Structure formats: C-alpha cells, structure tokens
Short mmCIF file of all heavy atoms in Angstrom, two decimals:
data_model
loop_
_atom_site.label_atom_id
_atom_site.label_comp_id
_atom_site.label_asym_id
_atom_site.label_seq_id
_atom_site.Cartn_x
_atom_site.Cartn_y
_atom_site.Cartn_z
N MET J 1 0.84 -1.18 0.00
CA MET J 1 0.00 0.00 0.00
C MET J 1 0.88 1.25 0.00
O MET J 1 1.80 1.37 0.79
CB MET J 1 -0.90 -0.02 1.24
CG MET J 1 -1.85 1.15 1.28
SD MET J 1 -3.14 0.94 2.50
CE MET J 1 -2.41 1.82 3.85
N ALA J 2 0.62 2.15 -0.89
CA ALA J 2 1.41 3.37 -1.02
C ALA J 2 1.01 4.37 0.07
O ALA J 2 -0.12 4.40 0.52
CB ALA J 2 1.20 3.99 -2.39
N TYR J 3 1.97 5.16 0.51
CA TYR J 3 1.66 6.19 1.49
C TYR J 3 1.26 7.50 0.83
O TYR J 3 0.84 8.43 1.50
CB TYR J 3 2.84 6.41 2.44
CG TYR J 3 4.07 6.96 1.80
CD1 TYR J 3 4.32 8.32 1.81
CD2 TYR J 3 5.00 6.13 1.19
CE1 TYR J 3 5.45 8.84 1.21
CE2 TYR J 3 6.13 6.65 0.61
CZ TYR J 3 6.35 7.99 0.63
OH TYR J 3 7.48 8.51 0.04
N LEU J 4 1.37 7.58 -0.49
CA LEU J 4 0.95 8.76 -1.23
C LEU J 4 -0.28 8.43 -2.05
O LEU J 4 -0.36 7.35 -2.65
CB LEU J 4 2.06 9.21 -2.19
CG LEU J 4 3.34 9.73 -1.58
CD1 LEU J 4 4.38 9.94 -2.67
CD2 LEU J 4 3.08 11.02 -0.85
N PRO J 5 -1.25 9.36 -2.12
CA PRO J 5 -2.37 9.09 -3.01
C PRO J 5 -1.90 9.16 -4.46
O PRO J 5 -1.04 9.97 -4.80
CB PRO J 5 -3.36 10.21 -2.68
CG PRO J 5 -2.55 11.29 -2.05
CD PRO J 5 -1.38 10.63 -1.41
N PRO J 6 -2.45 8.31 -5.31
CA PRO J 6 -2.03 8.36 -6.72
C PRO J 6 -2.42 9.68 -7.38
O PRO J 6 -3.45 10.26 -7.06
CB PRO J 6 -2.75 7.18 -7.36
CG PRO J 6 -3.74 6.70 -6.38
CD PRO J 6 -3.42 7.28 -5.05
N SER J 7 -1.58 10.13 -8.26
CA SER J 7 -1.81 11.37 -8.99
C SER J 7 -2.57 11.06 -10.28
O SER J 7 -2.49 9.95 -10.81
CB SER J 7 -0.47 12.02 -9.32
OG SER J 7 -0.64 13.10 -10.20
N ASN J 8 -3.29 12.05 -10.76
CA ASN J 8 -4.00 11.89 -12.04
C ASN J 8 -3.13 12.30 -13.23
O ASN J 8 -3.56 12.21 -14.36
CB ASN J 8 -5.28 12.73 -12.04
CG ASN J 8 -6.29 12.22 -11.05
OD1 ASN J 8 -6.34 11.02 -10.79
ND2 ASN J 8 -7.08 13.10 -10.50
N ALA J 9 -1.92 12.75 -12.95
CA ALA J 9 -1.01 13.18 -14.02
C ALA J 9 -0.51 11.97 -14.81
O ALA J 9 -0.62 10.83 -14.37
CB ALA J 9 0.16 13.96 -13.43
N ASP J 10 0.06 12.25 -15.96
CA ASP J 10 0.66 11.19 -16.77
C ASP J 10 1.88 10.63 -16.05
O ASP J 10 2.62 11.37 -15.41
CB ASP J 10 1.08 11.72 -18.13
CG ASP J 10 -0.10 12.11 -19.00
OD1 ASP J 10 -1.19 11.54 -18.80
OD2 ASP J 10 0.07 12.99 -19.87
N PRO J 11 2.12 9.31 -16.16
CA PRO J 11 3.33 8.73 -15.57
C PRO J 11 4.57 9.33 -16.22
O PRO J 11 4.54 9.83 -17.34
CB PRO J 11 3.22 7.24 -15.88
CG PRO J 11 1.77 7.01 -16.17
CD PRO J 11 1.26 8.29 -16.75
N ILE J 12 5.67 9.28 -15.50
CA ILE J 12 6.96 9.74 -16.03
C ILE J 12 7.38 8.75 -17.13
O ILE J 12 7.27 7.54 -16.95
CB ILE J 12 8.02 9.76 -14.90
CG1 ILE J 12 7.54 10.61 -13.72
CG2 ILE J 12 9.36 10.25 -15.42
CD1 ILE J 12 7.25 12.05 -14.02
N PRO J 13 7.83 9.23 -18.27
CA PRO J 13 8.24 8.32 -19.34
C PRO J 13 9.34 7.36 -18.86
O PRO J 13 10.30 7.76 -18.19
CB PRO J 13 8.78 9.25 -20.43
CG PRO J 13 8.16 10.57 -20.16
CD PRO J 13 7.96 10.64 -18.67
N THR J 14 9.18 6.09 -19.22
CA THR J 14 10.14 5.09 -18.76
C THR J 14 11.54 5.32 -19.33
O THR J 14 12.52 4.97 -18.68
CB THR J 14 9.66 3.67 -19.08
OG1 THR J 14 9.38 3.57 -20.48
CG2 THR J 14 8.40 3.32 -18.30
N ASP J 15 11.63 5.91 -20.52
CA ASP J 15 12.97 6.18 -21.07
C ASP J 15 13.69 7.23 -20.22
O ASP J 15 14.92 7.20 -20.10
CB ASP J 15 12.91 6.59 -22.54
CG ASP J 15 12.05 7.81 -22.80
OD1 ASP J 15 11.13 8.08 -22.01
OD2 ASP J 15 12.30 8.50 -23.80
N LEU J 16 12.95 8.13 -19.60
CA LEU J 16 13.56 9.10 -18.69
C LEU J 16 14.06 8.41 -17.43
O LEU J 16 15.14 8.72 -16.93
CB LEU J 16 12.56 10.21 -18.34
CG LEU J 16 13.04 11.27 -17.35
CD1 LEU J 16 14.26 12.00 -17.90
CD2 LEU J 16 11.94 12.25 -17.04
N ILE J 17 13.30 7.44 -16.94
CA ILE J 17 13.72 6.67 -15.75
C ILE J 17 15.01 5.92 -16.07
O ILE J 17 15.93 5.89 -15.26
CB ILE J 17 12.61 5.69 -15.33
CG1 ILE J 17 11.33 6.46 -15.07
CG2 ILE J 17 13.06 4.83 -14.17
CD1 ILE J 17 10.84 6.62 -13.71
N VAL J 18 15.07 5.31 -17.26
CA VAL J 18 16.28 4.58 -17.66
C VAL J 18 17.47 5.54 -17.74
O VAL J 18 18.56 5.25 -17.25
CB VAL J 18 16.06 3.86 -19.01
CG1 VAL J 18 17.36 3.31 -19.55
CG2 VAL J 18 15.03 2.75 -18.83
N SER J 19 17.26 6.73 -18.31
CA SER J 19 18.34 7.72 -18.43
C SER J 19 18.81 8.19 -17.06
O SER J 19 20.01 8.34 -16.82
CB SER J 19 17.88 8.92 -19.24
OG SER J 19 17.56 8.53 -20.55
N LEU J 20 17.86 8.43 -16.15
CA LEU J 20 18.24 8.83 -14.79
C LEU J 20 19.03 7.72 -14.09
O LEU J 20 20.01 7.99 -13.39
CB LEU J 20 16.99 9.18 -13.97
CG LEU J 20 16.25 10.45 -14.35
CD1 LEU J 20 14.92 10.54 -13.61
CD2 LEU J 20 17.10 11.66 -14.06
N GLY J 21 18.59 6.49 -14.29
CA GLY J 21 19.32 5.36 -13.71
C GLY J 21 20.74 5.27 -14.24
O GLY J 21 21.68 5.05 -13.47
N LYS J 22 20.91 5.45 -15.54
CA LYS J 22 22.25 5.41 -16.13
C LYS J 22 23.12 6.53 -15.59
O LYS J 22 24.31 6.33 -15.30
CB LYS J 22 22.17 5.50 -17.65
CG LYS J 22 21.69 4.23 -18.30
CD LYS J 22 21.65 4.37 -19.81
CE LYS J 22 21.12 3.11 -20.45
NZ LYS J 22 21.01 3.21 -21.90
N ALA J 23 22.54 7.72 -15.43
CA ALA J 23 23.30 8.85 -14.90
C ALA J 23 23.77 8.58 -13.47
O ALA J 23 24.82 9.06 -13.05
CB ALA J 23 22.46 10.12 -14.95
N LEU J 24 22.98 7.80 -12.72
CA LEU J 24 23.34 7.47 -11.34
C LEU J 24 24.12 6.18 -11.23
O LEU J 24 24.50 5.77 -10.13
CB LEU J 24 22.07 7.37 -10.50
CG LEU J 24 21.28 8.66 -10.34
CD1 LEU J 24 19.94 8.39 -9.69
CD2 LEU J 24 22.08 9.66 -9.53
N GLY J 25 24.36 5.53 -12.36
CA GLY J 25 25.10 4.28 -12.35
C GLY J 25 24.26 3.10 -11.88
O GLY J 25 24.80 2.13 -11.36
N LEU J 26 22.94 3.18 -12.07
CA LEU J 26 22.04 2.11 -11.65
C LEU J 26 21.53 1.33 -12.84
O LEU J 26 21.26 1.89 -13.89
CB LEU J 26 20.83 2.70 -10.90
CG LEU J 26 21.13 3.53 -9.66
CD1 LEU J 26 19.85 4.16 -9.14
CD2 LEU J 26 21.78 2.67 -8.60
N SER J 27 21.36 0.05 -12.65
CA SER J 27 20.75 -0.80 -13.66
C SER J 27 19.34 -1.12 -13.18
O SER J 27 19.16 -1.77 -12.15
CB SER J 27 21.57 -2.08 -13.82
OG SER J 27 20.91 -2.96 -14.69
N ILE J 28 18.34 -0.65 -13.89
CA ILE J 28 16.94 -0.82 -13.48
C ILE J 28 16.32 -1.93 -14.31
O ILE J 28 16.29 -1.84 -15.54
CB ILE J 28 16.16 0.50 -13.67
CG1 ILE J 28 16.82 1.60 -12.85
CG2 ILE J 28 14.71 0.31 -13.26
CD1 ILE J 28 16.24 2.98 -13.09
N PRO J 29 15.82 -2.97 -13.66
CA PRO J 29 15.17 -4.06 -14.39
C PRO J 29 13.94 -3.55 -15.14
O PRO J 29 13.19 -2.71 -14.62
CB PRO J 29 14.77 -5.06 -13.30
CG PRO J 29 15.62 -4.72 -12.12
CD PRO J 29 15.90 -3.25 -12.22
N ALA J 30 13.72 -4.06 -16.32
CA ALA J 30 12.60 -3.62 -17.17
C ALA J 30 11.25 -3.82 -16.48
O ALA J 30 10.34 -3.00 -16.64
CB ALA J 30 12.63 -4.36 -18.50
N GLU J 31 11.12 -4.87 -15.67
CA GLU J 31 9.84 -5.13 -15.01
C GLU J 31 9.53 -4.12 -13.90
O GLU J 31 8.39 -4.03 -13.44
CB GLU J 31 9.78 -6.56 -14.46
CG GLU J 31 10.82 -6.89 -13.41
CD GLU J 31 12.10 -7.48 -13.98
OE1 GLU J 31 12.31 -7.43 -15.20
OE2 GLU J 31 12.89 -7.97 -13.18
N ASP J 32 10.51 -3.33 -13.49
CA ASP J 32 10.30 -2.33 -12.45
C ASP J 32 9.99 -0.94 -13.01
O ASP J 32 9.61 -0.03 -12.25
CB ASP J 32 11.53 -2.21 -11.55
CG ASP J 32 11.75 -3.45 -10.70
OD1 ASP J 32 10.80 -4.24 -10.55
OD2 ASP J 32 12.87 -3.61 -10.18
N LEU J 33 10.14 -0.75 -14.30
CA LEU J 33 10.02 0.59 -14.89
C LEU J 33 8.63 1.20 -14.73
O LEU J 33 8.50 2.38 -14.39
CB LEU J 33 10.43 0.56 -16.36
CG LEU J 33 11.92 0.41 -16.60
CD1 LEU J 33 12.19 0.24 -18.10
CD2 LEU J 33 12.68 1.59 -16.04
N GLU J 34 7.58 0.43 -14.96
CA GLU J 34 6.22 0.98 -14.86
C GLU J 34 5.91 1.41 -13.43
O GLU J 34 5.34 2.49 -13.20
CB GLU J 34 5.19 -0.03 -15.36
CG GLU J 34 5.26 -0.30 -16.85
CD GLU J 34 5.06 0.95 -17.70
OE1 GLU J 34 4.22 1.80 -17.35
OE2 GLU J 34 5.76 1.06 -18.72
N ALA J 35 6.27 0.59 -12.46
CA ALA J 35 6.02 0.93 -11.06
C ALA J 35 6.83 2.16 -10.64
O ALA J 35 6.32 3.04 -9.93
CB ALA J 35 6.34 -0.25 -10.15
N LEU J 36 8.08 2.24 -11.07
CA LEU J 36 8.91 3.41 -10.76
C LEU J 36 8.37 4.66 -11.42
O LEU J 36 8.42 5.75 -10.83
CB LEU J 36 10.35 3.16 -11.20
CG LEU J 36 11.15 2.21 -10.33
CD1 LEU J 36 12.48 1.87 -11.00
CD2 LEU J 36 11.38 2.80 -8.96
N SER J 37 7.84 4.53 -12.61
CA SER J 37 7.28 5.66 -13.33
C SER J 37 6.10 6.25 -12.55
O SER J 37 6.01 7.46 -12.36
CB SER J 37 6.83 5.21 -14.72
OG SER J 37 6.12 6.21 -15.36
N ALA J 38 5.20 5.40 -12.09
CA ALA J 38 4.05 5.86 -11.32
C ALA J 38 4.48 6.41 -9.96
O ALA J 38 3.96 7.43 -9.50
CB ALA J 38 3.05 4.73 -11.15
N ALA J 39 5.44 5.74 -9.31
CA ALA J 39 5.90 6.20 -7.99
C ALA J 39 6.56 7.56 -8.08
O ALA J 39 6.33 8.44 -7.23
CB ALA J 39 6.86 5.17 -7.39
N LEU J 40 7.39 7.78 -9.09
CA LEU J 40 8.05 9.07 -9.26
C LEU J 40 7.02 10.16 -9.55
O LEU J 40 7.09 11.26 -9.00
CB LEU J 40 9.10 9.00 -10.37
CG LEU J 40 9.88 10.28 -10.64
CD1 LEU J 40 10.58 10.78 -9.39
CD2 LEU J 40 10.89 10.06 -11.75
N ARG J 41 6.04 9.85 -10.38
CA ARG J 41 4.96 10.81 -10.66
C ARG J 41 4.26 11.21 -9.37
O ARG J 41 4.03 12.39 -9.11
CB ARG J 41 3.96 10.18 -11.62
CG ARG J 41 2.71 11.03 -11.83
CD ARG J 41 1.53 10.23 -12.29
NE ARG J 41 1.20 9.18 -11.35
CZ ARG J 41 0.50 8.11 -11.67
NH1 ARG J 41 0.07 7.94 -12.90
NH2 ARG J 41 0.21 7.20 -10.77
N ASP J 42 3.94 10.23 -8.52
CA ASP J 42 3.24 10.52 -7.27
C ASP J 42 4.12 11.30 -6.29
O ASP J 42 3.64 12.18 -5.58
CB ASP J 42 2.75 9.22 -6.63
CG ASP J 42 1.70 8.52 -7.49
OD1 ASP J 42 1.13 9.18 -8.39
OD2 ASP J 42 1.45 7.33 -7.26
N GLN J 43 5.41 11.01 -6.26
CA GLN J 43 6.34 11.76 -5.41
C GLN J 43 6.39 13.22 -5.84
O GLN J 43 6.35 14.13 -5.01
CB GLN J 43 7.75 11.16 -5.47
CG GLN J 43 7.90 9.86 -4.73
CD GLN J 43 8.00 10.06 -3.24
OE1 GLN J 43 8.28 11.13 -2.74
NE2 GLN J 43 7.76 8.98 -2.51
N LEU J 44 6.50 13.45 -7.14
CA LEU J 44 6.56 14.83 -7.64
C LEU J 44 5.25 15.57 -7.37
O LEU J 44 5.25 16.75 -7.03
CB LEU J 44 6.89 14.83 -9.13
CG LEU J 44 8.29 14.34 -9.49
CD1 LEU J 44 8.44 14.21 -11.01
CD2 LEU J 44 9.36 15.26 -8.92
N ALA J 45 4.12 14.87 -7.49
CA ALA J 45 2.83 15.49 -7.21
C ALA J 45 2.71 15.86 -5.74
O ALA J 45 2.14 16.89 -5.39
CB ALA J 45 1.70 14.56 -7.63
N SER J 46 3.24 15.03 -4.85
CA SER J 46 3.17 15.34 -3.42
C SER J 46 4.00 16.58 -3.09
O SER J 46 3.62 17.37 -2.23
CB SER J 46 3.63 14.16 -2.57
OG SER J 46 5.03 13.99 -2.67
N GLY J 47 5.10 16.77 -3.79
CA GLY J 47 5.90 17.98 -3.60
C GLY J 47 5.12 19.21 -4.01
O GLY J 47 5.22 20.27 -3.37
N GLY J 48 4.31 19.09 -5.05
CA GLY J 48 3.48 20.21 -5.48
C GLY J 48 2.45 20.58 -4.44
O GLY J 48 2.13 21.76 -4.25
N SER J 49 1.90 19.59 -3.74
CA SER J 49 0.90 19.91 -2.72
C SER J 49 1.54 20.58 -1.51
O SER J 49 0.91 21.40 -0.85
CB SER J 49 0.14 18.65 -2.31
OG SER J 49 1.00 17.71 -1.72
N ILE J 50 2.78 20.26 -1.21
CA ILE J 50 3.49 20.92 -0.11
C ILE J 50 3.71 22.40 -0.45
O ILE J 50 3.61 23.26 0.42
CB ILE J 50 4.82 20.21 0.19
CG1 ILE J 50 4.53 18.85 0.81
CG2 ILE J 50 5.71 21.04 1.10
CD1 ILE J 50 5.74 17.98 0.99
N GLU J 51 3.99 22.68 -1.71
CA GLU J 51 4.22 24.07 -2.12
C GLU J 51 2.97 24.93 -1.97
O GLU J 51 3.06 26.14 -1.88
CB GLU J 51 4.71 24.11 -3.57
CG GLU J 51 6.10 23.55 -3.74
CD GLU J 51 6.53 23.47 -5.20
OE1 GLU J 51 5.70 23.77 -6.09
OE2 GLU J 51 7.68 23.11 -5.43
N LEU J 52 1.78 24.30 -1.92
CA LEU J 52 0.54 25.05 -1.78
C LEU J 52 0.26 25.48 -0.34
O LEU J 52 -0.63 26.29 -0.10
CB LEU J 52 -0.63 24.20 -2.29
CG LEU J 52 -0.59 23.84 -3.77
CD1 LEU J 52 -1.74 22.91 -4.12
CD2 LEU J 52 -0.65 25.10 -4.62
N LEU J 53 1.00 24.93 0.61
CA LEU J 53 0.78 25.29 2.01
C LEU J 53 1.27 26.71 2.28
O LEU J 53 2.29 27.13 1.76
CB LEU J 53 1.52 24.31 2.93
CG LEU J 53 1.05 22.87 2.92
CD1 LEU J 53 1.97 22.03 3.78
CD2 LEU J 53 -0.38 22.78 3.41
N HIS J 54 0.55 27.42 3.10
CA HIS J 54 0.93 28.77 3.49
C HIS J 54 1.44 28.74 4.92
O HIS J 54 0.75 28.24 5.81
CB HIS J 54 -0.25 29.73 3.38
CG HIS J 54 -0.75 29.87 1.98
ND1 HIS J 54 -0.09 30.60 1.03
CD2 HIS J 54 -1.83 29.35 1.35
CE1 HIS J 54 -0.75 30.53 -0.12
NE2 HIS J 54 -1.81 29.77 0.06
N PRO J 55 2.63 29.26 5.18
CA PRO J 55 3.19 29.20 6.54
C PRO J 55 2.28 29.82 7.60
O PRO J 55 2.25 29.37 8.72
CB PRO J 55 4.50 29.97 6.42
CG PRO J 55 4.85 29.94 4.97
CD PRO J 55 3.54 29.87 4.24
N GLU J 56 1.53 30.85 7.24
CA GLU J 56 0.68 31.49 8.24
C GLU J 56 -0.53 30.62 8.61
O GLU J 56 -1.20 30.88 9.61
CB GLU J 56 0.22 32.86 7.77
CG GLU J 56 -0.58 32.86 6.48
CD GLU J 56 0.28 32.95 5.23
OE1 GLU J 56 1.51 33.01 5.32
OE2 GLU J 56 -0.30 32.95 4.14
N ASP J 57 -0.80 29.57 7.85
CA ASP J 57 -1.90 28.68 8.16
C ASP J 57 -1.48 27.50 9.04
O ASP J 57 -2.29 26.64 9.34
CB ASP J 57 -2.52 28.13 6.88
CG ASP J 57 -3.20 29.20 6.05
OD1 ASP J 57 -3.54 30.25 6.62
OD2 ASP J 57 -3.38 28.99 4.84
N THR J 58 -0.24 27.44 9.41
CA THR J 58 0.26 26.32 10.20
C THR J 58 0.59 26.76 11.62
O THR J 58 0.82 27.94 11.88
CB THR J 58 1.52 25.71 9.56
OG1 THR J 58 2.54 26.70 9.50
CG2 THR J 58 1.23 25.20 8.16
N SER J 59 0.62 25.81 12.52
CA SER J 59 0.98 26.10 13.90
C SER J 59 2.49 26.03 14.06
O SER J 59 3.16 25.30 13.34
CB SER J 59 0.34 25.07 14.84
OG SER J 59 -1.06 25.11 14.73
N PRO J 60 3.04 26.76 15.03
CA PRO J 60 4.48 26.66 15.26
C PRO J 60 4.82 25.27 15.81
O PRO J 60 3.96 24.58 16.37
CB PRO J 60 4.78 27.75 16.28
CG PRO J 60 3.48 28.02 16.93
CD PRO J 60 2.41 27.70 15.92
N LEU J 61 6.06 24.87 15.64
CA LEU J 61 6.50 23.58 16.17
C LEU J 61 6.40 23.58 17.68
O LEU J 61 6.70 24.58 18.35
CB LEU J 61 7.95 23.32 15.77
CG LEU J 61 8.21 23.07 14.29
CD1 LEU J 61 9.71 22.95 14.03
CD2 LEU J 61 7.51 21.82 13.83
N ALA J 62 5.97 22.45 18.22
CA ALA J 62 5.92 22.32 19.67
C ALA J 62 7.34 22.19 20.19
O ALA J 62 8.15 21.45 19.63
CB ALA J 62 5.09 21.11 20.05
N PRO J 63 7.66 22.89 21.28
CA PRO J 63 9.02 22.76 21.82
C PRO J 63 9.21 21.37 22.43
O PRO J 63 8.28 20.78 22.98
CB PRO J 63 9.09 23.84 22.89
CG PRO J 63 7.68 24.12 23.25
CD PRO J 63 6.86 23.84 22.05
N PHE J 64 10.39 20.84 22.31
CA PHE J 64 10.72 19.53 22.86
C PHE J 64 11.93 19.68 23.74
O PHE J 64 12.98 20.16 23.31
CB PHE J 64 11.00 18.53 21.73
CG PHE J 64 11.45 17.19 22.24
CD1 PHE J 64 10.54 16.33 22.83
CD2 PHE J 64 12.77 16.80 22.14
CE1 PHE J 64 10.94 15.09 23.31
CE2 PHE J 64 13.17 15.57 22.60
CZ PHE J 64 12.26 14.71 23.19
N ASP J 65 11.77 19.30 24.99
CA ASP J 65 12.88 19.36 25.95
C ASP J 65 13.15 17.94 26.41
O ASP J 65 12.33 17.34 27.11
CB ASP J 65 12.48 20.26 27.13
CG ASP J 65 13.64 20.49 28.08
OD1 ASP J 65 14.73 19.89 27.89
OD2 ASP J 65 13.46 21.28 29.01
N PRO J 66 14.28 17.35 26.01
CA PRO J 66 14.55 15.96 26.34
C PRO J 66 14.96 15.73 27.79
O PRO J 66 15.12 14.59 28.21
CB PRO J 66 15.69 15.60 25.38
CG PRO J 66 16.39 16.89 25.15
CD PRO J 66 15.32 17.94 25.17
N ARG J 67 15.13 16.79 28.58
CA ARG J 67 15.53 16.62 29.97
C ARG J 67 14.36 16.14 30.82
O ARG J 67 13.22 16.47 30.55
CB ARG J 67 16.07 17.93 30.54
CG ARG J 67 17.32 18.41 29.80
CD ARG J 67 17.73 19.76 30.30
NE ARG J 67 16.72 20.72 29.81
CZ ARG J 67 16.77 22.03 30.06
NH1 ARG J 67 17.72 22.53 30.79
NH2 ARG J 67 15.84 22.82 29.59
N TRP J 68 14.70 15.38 31.85
CA TRP J 68 13.68 14.90 32.78
C TRP J 68 13.32 16.03 33.73
O TRP J 68 14.15 16.79 34.17
CB TRP J 68 14.19 13.71 33.59
CG TRP J 68 14.32 12.48 32.76
CD1 TRP J 68 15.44 12.02 32.15
CD2 TRP J 68 13.30 11.55 32.45
NE1 TRP J 68 15.19 10.88 31.47
CE2 TRP J 68 13.86 10.56 31.65
CE3 TRP J 68 11.95 11.46 32.77
CZ2 TRP J 68 13.14 9.48 31.16
CZ3 TRP J 68 11.23 10.38 32.30
CH2 TRP J 68 11.82 9.41 31.50
N HIS J 69 12.04 16.13 34.06
CA HIS J 69 11.57 17.10 35.05
C HIS J 69 10.92 16.35 36.19
O HIS J 69 10.16 15.42 35.98
CB HIS J 69 10.56 18.07 34.42
CG HIS J 69 11.16 18.93 33.34
ND1 HIS J 69 11.95 20.01 33.60
CD2 HIS J 69 11.09 18.85 32.00
CE1 HIS J 69 12.33 20.57 32.47
NE2 HIS J 69 11.82 19.87 31.48
N ASP J 70 11.21 16.79 37.39
CA ASP J 70 10.58 16.16 38.56
C ASP J 70 9.35 16.92 38.98
O ASP J 70 9.16 18.05 38.81
CB ASP J 70 11.55 16.10 39.74
CG ASP J 70 12.70 15.13 39.46
OD1 ASP J 70 12.48 14.21 38.67
OD2 ASP J 70 13.78 15.35 40.02
#
C-alpha cells in the first residue's frame, strides 16, 4: 500500500527513468520501470501539494525538551 495518493497526471516516461538510472550508475530491471514511473509521478505530485501550504496557516513547532523534570 502506497503512502501517497495516486496522482492523475501522466506517468513519467520510462525512457527518462532509464536515463536517470544510467546517470546514477544504476541498472533498473525492465519489469520495475512501470512501477517506478508511477511512484516518481506521485512523489513529484506530493511535492506540489506541499508548495501550496501557506506558513501562516500552520501552527508553530511544539518545543521539545529531552531533559527529565521532577
């Protein structure tokens, strides 16, 4: 089960995945290309949703003090 909702965008072209793999020195099995294409598309879409967040709409981080208190 994926932790990202699937995107409605077109999958990333598999030839681009192969080229990226070659640039990184990776050998990607042909049977993994379709799944990687959809996963990369969904990762990029999730980054787009993060960009839509407005800092003023969020709460500040809760302070964390690792020391013990009596």
Side-chain angles (χ1 to χ4, degrees):
M1 183 167 95
Y3 65 95
L4 294 172
S7 171
N8 293 329
D10 292 333
I12 305 300
T14 55
D15 58 334
L16 178 60
I17 303 251
V18 170
S19 297
L20 289 171
K22 286 181 182 178
L24 295 171
L26 302 174
S27 174
I28 302 172
E31 61 269 13
D32 292 342
L33 288 174
E34 292 301 322
L36 286 171
S37 172
L40 181 56
R41 172 204 58 201
D42 295 343
Q43 286 283 342
L44 293 173
S46 72
S49 63
I50 290 173
E51 291 174 355
L52 297 175
L53 294 175
H54 297 285
E56 60 272 1
D57 294 339
T58 61
S59 299
L61 292 175
F64 175 74
D65 187 355
R67 298 174 289 181
W68 289 96
H69 295 283
D70 292 334

